[in-house]
Amino acid sequence: MYMSVAELVTAAKETKKPIYELMIEQEMETSQTSREEIWHTMGRNLDVMEAAVNKGAAGDGVYSTTGLTGGEAVLLKKYRQKGHTLSGDTMMQAVQNAISTNEVNASMGVVCATPTAGSTGTLPGVIFTLKDRMNLNRDQMIQFLFTAGAFGMVIANNAGIAGATGGCQAEVGSASAMGAAAAVEVAGGTPEQSAEALAMAISNLMGLVCDPVAGLVELPCVKRNAIGVGNALIAADMALAGCTNKIPADEVIAAMDKVGKGLPKALRETGLGGLAATPTGIRMKEKIFGRSTNSQVHA
C-alpha cells in the first residue's frame, strides 16, 4: 500500500504508469477482486455523483427538513444563465455542481462520500465541470476517481479525513486536494504536478475549522464545498502552469494533521464553536431541537 505521496509519485515515474492504474492494481491485490469488478464499482460511484449533481439543480431544487439549506443550486443555475458571472461560467458551474450535491446530502438523498458526506460535493464539482470543459468520456472520469482515491488514501492514512478529529481542513481540504491532484492527471500533467496541486490545495485551506450550526452537516458545510471546488481547480491550474508549493506534499499533510490535533474541541464538529456559537447559530439550534441549557462553548 502506498503510504506517502512521494512513494506514489516515484512508483508512477518508475513504472511509467498513471496513478489511476497504480490504484487499480493495488485494489486488485488488497481486495483480491477482479479489475472488472473494481472498475464497475467505481463506475457506480460516478453514477451516484452524477445523479446528485443533476437532482439538486433540477426544478425548484431540494431542501433539508430543517429548512437551513436548499434551493441554492437552482439559484446558481439561473444566475449562470444570465451570462454575467464574475468568476466565469466554468468556475460557477463547478460551484453549482458542488452545492447541488451537498444539498442532496442535506435533504437525506443518496450521495457518494468523497471522502466524507460533509465534503461530498467537491469532487463531483470538479469532475463534472471538467467533463464539459475537456469533453471527458466515461472511462476518463472513472480514471479521475481512482487517481483522487489514491491521493485520498495517503491523506487518510497520514492525517485523517474526519472533521471530528481534524476540522473541516480534513474534510473539504482533503477533498479539494484529491480533486486538484486528479484534475492535473486527467489534463495531462505529470505525477509531480499532481503532488504539487495537492500540496497547494491543502495549504490554502490549512486550519479550516469544523463548526456545523446545530451540529448538522448543512451550515456552513454546503458552501464550503464551493470553496473546495474552486480551490481545487485553481491549485490544479497553478501546478499545470509550473508553480510549486515549495513545501513537499507529505510535509503539508503532516502539518495538516498536527494543526487538526491542535484545534480545540469546540472547533472539531461539536457544534460548540465558530459559526455554531454565534447568536444566530444558537437560535437556529434552539428552533430545531428546542432550548438547551448546554449552549455554552467549551474549549
Side-chain angles (χ1 to χ4, degrees):
M1 180 175 291
Y2 299 102
M3 294 302 296
S4 70
V5 172
E7 184 182 353
L8 193 59
V9 169
T10 298
K13 289 172 61 179
E14 290 181 348
T15 62
K16 301 188 185 308
K17 293 179 180 179
I19 290 170
Y20 73 78
E21 183 61 35
L22 298 179
M23 187 60 183
I24 293 172
E25 291 176 355
Q26 177 182 282
E27 186 63 21
M28 290 171 62
E29 181 179 350
T30 57
S31 68
Q32 294 297 297
T33 305
S34 70
R35 182 186 185 90
E36 291 72 21
E37 187 173 347
I38 290 169
W39 186 270
H40 178 68
T41 298
M42 190 62 86
R44 290 207 312 270
N45 292 337
L46 179 66
D47 293 338
V48 169
M49 292 179 186
E50 184 171 26
V53 163
N54 293 334
K55 181 178 180 180
D60 295 327
V62 295
Y63 295 82
S64 68
T65 56
T66 65
L68 294 180
T69 55
E72 294 193 327
V74 173
L75 293 181
L76 287 164
K77 182 179 179 180
K78 292 178 179 178
Y79 174 64
R80 287 177 54 219
Q81 291 171 347
K82 296 178 182 178
H84 301 296
T85 63
L86 302 181
S87 304
D89 191 62
T90 296
M91 184 63 73
M92 293 313 298
Q93 179 186 358
V95 170
Q96 177 190 313
N97 291 342
I99 296 292
S100 178
T101 303
N102 277 87
E103 287 185 337
V104 169
N105 177 61
S107 69
M108 305 302 288
V110 179
V111 296
C112 180
T114 51
T116 66
S119 61
T120 195
T122 300
L123 270 186
V126 174
I127 191 171
F128 287 100
T129 300
L130 293 183
K131 174 188 177 183
D132 293 339
R133 179 76 171 171
M134 300 174 60
N135 196 29
L136 300 181
N137 60 39
R138 182 176 175 82
D139 284 355
Q140 290 172 308
M141 296 174 75
I142 293 174
Q143 290 165 0
F144 174 103
L145 294 180
F146 277 114
T147 302
F151 285 102
M153 174 192 66
V154 172
I155 296 171
N157 285 334
N158 289 279
I161 55 174
T165 57
C168 198
Q169 60 167 8
E171 294 201 26
V172 170
S174 295
S176 185
M178 292 161 62
V184 166
E185 182 170 271
V186 80
T190 66
E192 293 93 339
Q193 287 175 323
S194 284
E196 293 292 352
L198 177 143
M200 285 186 279
I202 292 179
S203 297
N204 292 342
L205 297 181
M206 185 83 72
L208 184 59
V209 303
C210 185
D211 53 346
V213 172
L216 302 171
V217 188
E218 297 193 54
L219 300 178
C221 318
V222 172
K223 292 185 178 67
R224 281 192 178 152
N225 280 263
I227 298 305
V229 72
N231 182 51
L233 290 170
I234 291 168
D237 266 335
M238 287 195 293
L240 288 167
C243 301
T244 60
N245 193 62
K246 309 305 181 187
I247 307 299
D250 289 310
E251 293 183 32
V252 172
I253 292 171
M256 181 177 75
D257 182 46
K258 188 172 182 178
V259 169
K261 289 176 178 176
L263 290 174
K265 180 179 71 174
L267 300 177
R268 285 187 281 115
E269 208 172 351
T270 56
L272 297 175
L275 296 178
T278 61
T280 298
I282 292 171
R283 286 196 298 272
M284 289 177 173
K285 179 180 179 180
E286 291 176 348
K287 181 177 179 181
I288 294 168
F289 296 111
R291 185 172 296 275
S292 171
T293 58
N294 188 30
S295 297
Q296 298 299 313
V297 176
H298 301 285

